[in-house]
Each structure stands twice: as C-alpha cells, then as structure tokens.
Amino acid sequence: EEGHAGVVKSMEEARAAAEEEMAASHAWVTERYEDAHDGVAEAKKDAAERHAEAVAALVAKAAEEARKAAATRAALEAAYVEGRAEQDALFADAGATHAAAVIAMEEAHAGTVAEMVRAAEVAEEAAVAAAAAMEEGHAGVVKGMEEAHAEAVQEMEDARNAAEQARVAAVGAMEEAHAG
C-alpha cells in the first residue's frame, strides 16, 4: 500500500507538473499572440494613415494640376493607382502576419497537450509496473514462507522418528538387561 501510494503521488506530481508546464506554455503563446495582434493593429493604423496622406497628397496635386494638360492628369491617376496597390500590399502583409501568429499559437497549444498526455501515459505505465512488481514480491515471500514451513515440518517429523527409534531401543535394552 505504501508503494502504491508513492506511485500515485508520483503520478499526481507528474500530472501537476505537466499541467503547470502547459499553463506556462499557453500563457507564453497567448502573450505572443497578443503582441502579434497589437503589431497587426499598429500596421493597419500606419497603413490607414499613409493611405490618407497619400490620398490627400494626390487630391491636392490633382487640384493643382487640374489646369494642366490631360496627359498630366493621366500620370496623376497612374500614381494614385500605384499608391493604392502599395497600401493593399501593406494590408495583405498585416493579414498574413496575423494568420501566422494564430497558426503558431495553435501548434504550440497542440504540442503542449500532446506532452501532457504522454506524461500521463508514462505515469500510468509506471503505476502498472510498480503494482506488478509488488504482486510478484508478495508471491515470492509467500512461496518462501511455505517452503520454510515444509522444511520445519519435515525436520520435526525426522526428530520424532529418531526419538521413537531411541525409545524402542531403550525399551529393548531394558528388557534384555532385566531378563539377564
């Protein structure tokens, strides 16, 4: 019972350690996720500000160049399209960063859960092995006790037979001496 209690205690300690490690890993991943999420929000804010600045600059430039030739207006429109494409690329990069952060968090969480399950399996295997060893030791003690008991009974039987033979011999010698 003491050995089994020790095994159970070790298993519970291993489980507690695994849960503590999982909680720490989850907190770390959550912190990384929040940092990445803050970075995405900042990038979106910067992109929006740049977009607003670019649009304002283009509008001002368009008003200034409105009096110029149609070729100049076409060039301004092309510049606007290019600036818009850059802003779209910035938004796409921010979205990719957010998705990568989410994937990393899910992978880390899955790895932590797998480690906790394996630790529980190892603890269970140790408990089963300890119980088997305890039963085997008990069987060995019982067998040794039975063998020692059988030997003691045999020695007692031999001693009783020897005493009986000595008594018979003594009675015979006494009768023989009496007859003489």
Side-chain angles (χ1 to χ4, degrees):
E1 286 176 354
E2 184 177 350
H4 184 264
V7 169
V8 170
K9 181 179 178 184
S10 298
M11 189 172 69
E12 289 175 350
E13 289 175 353
R15 182 174 295 158
E19 289 174 352
E20 183 178 351
E21 183 177 353
M22 187 187 78
S25 297
H26 190 270
W28 181 88
V29 169
T30 301
E31 186 178 353
R32 300 289 84 74
Y33 171 80
E34 291 174 352
D35 290 346
H37 192 271
D38 293 341
V40 169
E42 191 67 26
K44 285 185 177 180
K45 181 181 177 183
D46 291 345
E49 290 176 358
R50 288 184 188 178
H51 181 260
E53 291 172 1
V55 170
L58 288 173
V59 169
K61 199 170 185 180
E64 180 183 353
E65 298 294 331
R67 296 174 299 274
K68 293 185 179 179
T72 304
R73 183 172 291 120
L76 289 173
E77 290 175 354
Y80 175 82
V81 170
E82 183 178 352
R84 179 69 185 189
E86 290 178 359
Q87 299 307 312
D88 290 343
L90 284 174
F91 277 110
D93 289 344
T97 301
H98 180 268
V102 171
I103 290 172
M105 185 182 73
E106 290 175 351
E107 289 177 351
H109 182 265
T112 302
V113 171
E115 289 174 4
M116 188 183 72
V117 170
R118 181 57 190 150
E121 290 174 351
V122 169
E124 183 66 21
E125 291 170 2
V128 171
M134 193 169 64
E135 290 177 359
E136 184 177 348
H138 180 264
V141 169
V142 171
K143 182 179 178 184
M145 223 165 58
E146 290 175 349
E147 291 176 352
H149 180 265
E151 289 178 3
V153 169
Q154 185 60 46
E155 289 175 0
M156 192 173 67
E157 185 67 23
D158 292 345
R160 192 184 67 77
N161 290 338
E164 181 63 21
Q165 290 174 3
R167 188 188 67 78
V168 170
V171 169
M174 186 177 68
E175 289 177 352
E176 185 177 340
H178 182 266

